[in-house]
């Protein structure tokens, strides 16, 4: 499986809505609770700090009045976020015809995150009066148009009602921190009073937007051209254009724009799910299905979808779109697809299937927006022309019927472009596969196997050398060993490629993990493994006699560490690539930890940070 790491946090309330900071500054906002009249289960908003891949921490939290947040949307501010929520007024207010369902909060997050706070700004009602008179109605959907990097970028928002007497989608100007009826751009009343299962927005050019929404059996598009300065539409909005109708049995669960003329749909059909890419046309009329993918049976009727476009190739304009689908059970599938400037995508690629990541059925999955370090002038991690920007990650957050929030980190890889600055993609292929993509399948498979054997043999030889012995395991046949050793003595191109490739991979390959060390020494129950933290690095030692470590006052078992020490060690190990949260603390309980400065690793790894 690709190197996906994860971290999680347990809240004291069930989360219902979740959203990433639109500029990926390391914040994740969660809202939820027990609803009205549930004193035992609080209603809250929480800002989580997810900037460190190894841990999720609370930055700020607020008890919410009246009801639990049912939907979330975020606008960025220099010192934090504006949090928009769907929160109903009290039952007594609704009986009197008042339901201020759209609430705004300000999350202030200074550099000293210990002083972060969330404060209510105000509340308003954008739905019609029929919404207030419906006892069970709630604001099911809240979406903003994607944030843009250009200066002066302005956004619009859309909300959709559920279980109301009258089904509505209200599109509003989101430049005001507290929108009111004057900010309503357009109201859509779906045909036959059908509810909108999902809504998405796409900005084609400044002020020109497409609004897509899906009911159970159809997909609609509405074009809106809005003048932010005059606070009015440039021209009257047309009736929604039905671009797709779904035959029964089956329903459209979610949708996302993946380009200006392609929409990704999540369909549930007969207890299973599929992804569909729909091509839409500027002239209007029905769209065309250009690609389908049936999801694995274990996903059942998938419940949530999100998609994020990565940066475009500077020459071709092609983009990779990353897709996350939450199954009805406890699994998430991560896929990717390439969107050309002209034409349509031709294939889905599965990146990873994350299984059993929650203890209860899934509710929602979201991906963090991505801004390339080369595209943002304010980014200090990488500048145009620099040899290497900081490592880039796409984050994925998911919630379920439990109180857990799980955040996965997906490593992005730079791909060279003619402009000199790379574009980033999600790619599970390793360096060998990339180097050999032009070869035949049989040759590539054989070559990869050979290089894998070379690396494995090198590891075993190094392991034996640390103990003053010669490895008793020889993975490479004698004739092949002679062939490889001869690569240094002549200029045979194939031999030299094998030798050089093995060296290059060895230099960049990730270090062995704790799990690998335990696996290697699984038959030696009395051995002692200690991880030491020096002044600048971590190191690992393997001792034949575990009793020697018991007598070492600096070496402590996991249960002997304080909770704070355990958290520090987990952060160090995860940051160094030595351990990830999805491996659990169980493997840490069988080793020792030492804070002795200047320690030098002598066994399975030489230096985790090296």
């Amino acid at each position: 499986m690709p190197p996906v790491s994860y971290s999680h946090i347990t809240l004291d309330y069930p989360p219902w809505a979740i959203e990433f900071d639109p500029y990926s500054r390391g914040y994740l906002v969660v809202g939820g609770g027990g609803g009205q009249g549930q004193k035992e289960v609080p209603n809250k908003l929480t800002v989580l700090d997810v900037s460190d891949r190894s841990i999720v921490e609370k930055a700020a939290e607020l008890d919410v009045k009246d009801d639990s947040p049912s939907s979330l949307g975020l606008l960025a501010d220099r010192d934090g976020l504006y949090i928009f929520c769907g929160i109903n007024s009290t039952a007594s207010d609704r009986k009197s015809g008042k339901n201020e369902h759209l609430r705004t909060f300000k999350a202030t997050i200074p550099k000293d995150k210990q002083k972060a706070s969330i404060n209510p700004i105000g509340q308003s009602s954008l739905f019609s009066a029929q919404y207030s008179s419906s006892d069970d109605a709630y604001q099911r959907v809240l979406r903003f148009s994607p944030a843009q990097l250009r200066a002066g970028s302005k956004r619009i928002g859309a909300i959709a009602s559920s279980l109301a007497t009258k089904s509505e989608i209200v599109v509003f100007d989101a430049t005001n921190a507290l929108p009111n009826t004057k900010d309503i751009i357009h109201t859509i009343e779906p045909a036959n009073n059908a509810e909108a299962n999902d809504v998405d927005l796409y900005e084609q050019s400044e002020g020109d937007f497409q609004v897509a929404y899906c009911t159970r059996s159809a997909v609609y598009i509405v074009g809106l051209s809005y003048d932010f300065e005059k606070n009015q539409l440039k021209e009257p909005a047309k009736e929604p254009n039905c671009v797709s109708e779904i035959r029964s049995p089956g329903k459209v669960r979610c949708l996302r724009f993946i380009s200006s003329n392609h929409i990704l749909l999540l369909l549930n059909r007969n207890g299973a799910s599929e992804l569909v890419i729909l091509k839409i046309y500027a002239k209007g009329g029905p769209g065309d299905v250009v690609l389908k993918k049936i999801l694995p049976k274990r996903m059942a009727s998938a419940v949530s979808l999100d998609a994020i476009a990565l940066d475009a190739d500077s020459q071709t304009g092609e983009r990779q779109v990353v897709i996350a689908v939450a199954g009805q059970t406890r699994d998430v599938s991560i896929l990717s697809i390439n969107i050309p400037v002209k034409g349509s995508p031709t294939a889905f690629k599965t990146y990873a299937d994350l299984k059993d990541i929650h203890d209860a059925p899934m509710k929602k999955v979201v991906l963090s927006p991505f801004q390339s370090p080369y595209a943002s002038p304010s980014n200090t991690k990488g500048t145009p022309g620099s040899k290497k920007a900081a490592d880039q990650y796409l984050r994925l957050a998911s919630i379920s019927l439990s109180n857990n929030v799980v955040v996965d980190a997906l490593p992005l890889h730079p791909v060279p472009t003619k402009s000199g600055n790379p574009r980033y993609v999600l790619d599970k292929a390793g360096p060998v596969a990339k180097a050999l993509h032009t070869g035949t399948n049989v040759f590539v498979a054989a070559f990869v196997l050979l290089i894998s054997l070379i690396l494995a043999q090198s590891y075993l030889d190094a392991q034996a050398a640390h103990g003053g012995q010669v490895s008793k395991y020889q993975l490479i046949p004698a004739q092949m060993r002679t062939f490889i050793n001869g690569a240094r003595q002549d200029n045979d191109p194939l031999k030299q490629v094998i030798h050089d490739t093995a060296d290059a991979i060895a230099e960049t390959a990730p270090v062995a993990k704790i799990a690998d060390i335990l696996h290697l020494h699984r038959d030696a129950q009395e051995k002692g493994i200690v991880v030491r933290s020096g002044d600048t690095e971590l190191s690992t030692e393997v001792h034949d006699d575990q009793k020697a470590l018991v007598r070492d006052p600096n070496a402590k078992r996991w249960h002997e560490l304080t909770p704070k020490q355990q958290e520090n060690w987990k952060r160090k190990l995860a940051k160094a690539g030595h351990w990830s949260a999805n491996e659990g603390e169980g493997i840490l309980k069988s080793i020792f930890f030492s804070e002795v400065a200047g320690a030098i690793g002598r066994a399975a790894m030489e230096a985790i940070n090296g």
Side-chain angles (χ1 to χ4, degrees), residues 530-541 594-602 606-607:
V530 59
V531 177
R532 299 189 185 276
S533 176
D535 296 329
T536 60
E537 64 179 22
L538 301 179
S539 61
T540 306
E541 299 174 7
S594 175
E595 294 285 350
V596 177
I600 301 174
R602 296 188 289 103
E606 295 184 356

Side-chain angles (χ1 to χ4, degrees), residues 302-606:
V303 298
S304 181
L305 166 78
D306 202 12
I308 291 294
L310 302 183
D311 48 333
D313 186 288
S314 59
Q315 297 295 317
T316 66
E318 181 179 83
R319 288 180 183 270
Q320 185 190 61
V321 174
V322 180
I323 301 162
V325 183
Q328 189 181 47
T329 52
R330 300 169 176 82
D331 301 344
V332 172
S333 282
I334 304 170
L335 308 96
S336 68
I337 194 163
N338 291 325
I339 308 293
V341 172
K342 296 182 179 180
S344 297
T346 58
F348 289 96
K349 294 182 179 179
T350 299
Y351 174 78
D353 290 320
L354 308 180
K355 301 178 182 179
D356 297 322
I357 63 174
H358 283 274
D359 296 328
M362 302 280 290
K363 286 192 294 192
K364 191 173 181 61
V365 63
V366 293
L367 288 161
S368 63
F370 176 73
Q371 283 87 31
S372 170
Y374 300 103
S376 174
S378 62
N379 191 292
T380 58
K381 294 181 179 179
T383 56
S386 64
K387 291 183 179 181
K388 183 180 180 181
D391 292 339
Q392 300 297 309
Y393 291 84
L394 192 65
R395 284 171 170 77
L396 181 152
S398 57
I399 54 177
S400 69
L401 293 176
S402 68
N403 290 15
N404 279 349
V405 178
V406 177
V407 182
D408 294 275
L410 316 177
L412 300 177
H413 302 285
V415 176
T417 64
K418 292 182 180 180
S419 68
N421 294 328
R423 60 183 283 238
Y424 285 87
V425 299
L426 186 69
D427 187 2
K428 65 181 178 182
V432 176
K434 292 179 181 178
L436 302 175
H437 70 280
T438 56
T440 64
N441 290 340
V442 174
F443 177 78
V444 169
F447 194 94
V448 171
L449 176 60
L450 175 58
I451 296 301
S452 299
L453 289 174
I454 292 173
L455 293 176
Q457 187 65 60
S458 298
Y459 180 81
L460 291 174
D461 290 344
Q463 189 71 28
H466 281 303
Q469 301 175 354
V470 176
S471 175
K472 61 181 179 180
Y473 300 102
Q474 292 298 323
L475 304 179
I476 306 173
Q479 288 183 333
M480 186 57 69
R481 291 201 301 273
T482 302
F483 174 83
I484 295 171
N485 291 336
R488 295 183 181 273
Q489 277 72 48
D490 59 43
N491 295 320
D492 185 299
L494 180 58
K495 293 180 181 180
Q496 195 61 45
V497 166
I498 293 174
H499 175 70
D500 292 345
T501 304
D503 283 353
I505 295 174
E507 290 174 2
T508 59
V511 296
K513 302 176 69 176
I514 287 177
D516 298 327
I517 302 171
L518 293 174
H519 178 74
L520 186 65
H521 296 280
R522 62 189 181 278
D523 296 326
Q525 300 296 328
E526 299 302 319
K527 288 193 176 183
I529 299 172
V530 59
V531 177
R532 299 189 185 276
S533 176
D535 296 329
T536 60
E537 64 179 22
L538 301 179
S539 61
T540 306
E541 299 174 7
V542 180
H543 295 263
D544 289 332
D545 185 7
Q546 193 177 98
K547 296 178 181 179
L549 286 178
V550 174
R551 293 192 298 268
D552 183 352
N554 295 305
K556 297 181 179 180
R557 290 187 179 276
W558 185 251
H559 69 270
E560 296 174 326
L561 301 174
T562 66
K564 183 176 181 180
Q565 288 174 325
Q566 290 179 349
E567 289 301 318
N568 287 337
W569 270 108
K570 285 193 289 187
R571 185 181 289 107
K572 290 178 184 179
L573 295 170
K575 186 176 181 180
H578 202 29
W579 171 85
S580 60
N582 61 340
E583 296 174 31
E585 293 184 10
I587 65 172
L588 303 179
K589 295 178 181 179
S590 56
I591 62 178
F592 292 79
F593 297 85
S594 175
E595 294 285 350
V596 177
I600 301 174
R602 296 188 289 103
M605 297 169 299
E606 295 184 356

Side-chain angles (χ1 to χ4, degrees), residues 88-101 123 125 132-133:
N88 274 342
S89 296
T90 63
S92 58
D93 284 341
R94 296 203 307 275
K95 286 181 180 179
S96 65
K98 179 182 178 181
N99 190 351
E100 294 178 315
H101 55 85
Q123 52 201 55
S125 178
S132 299
S133 62

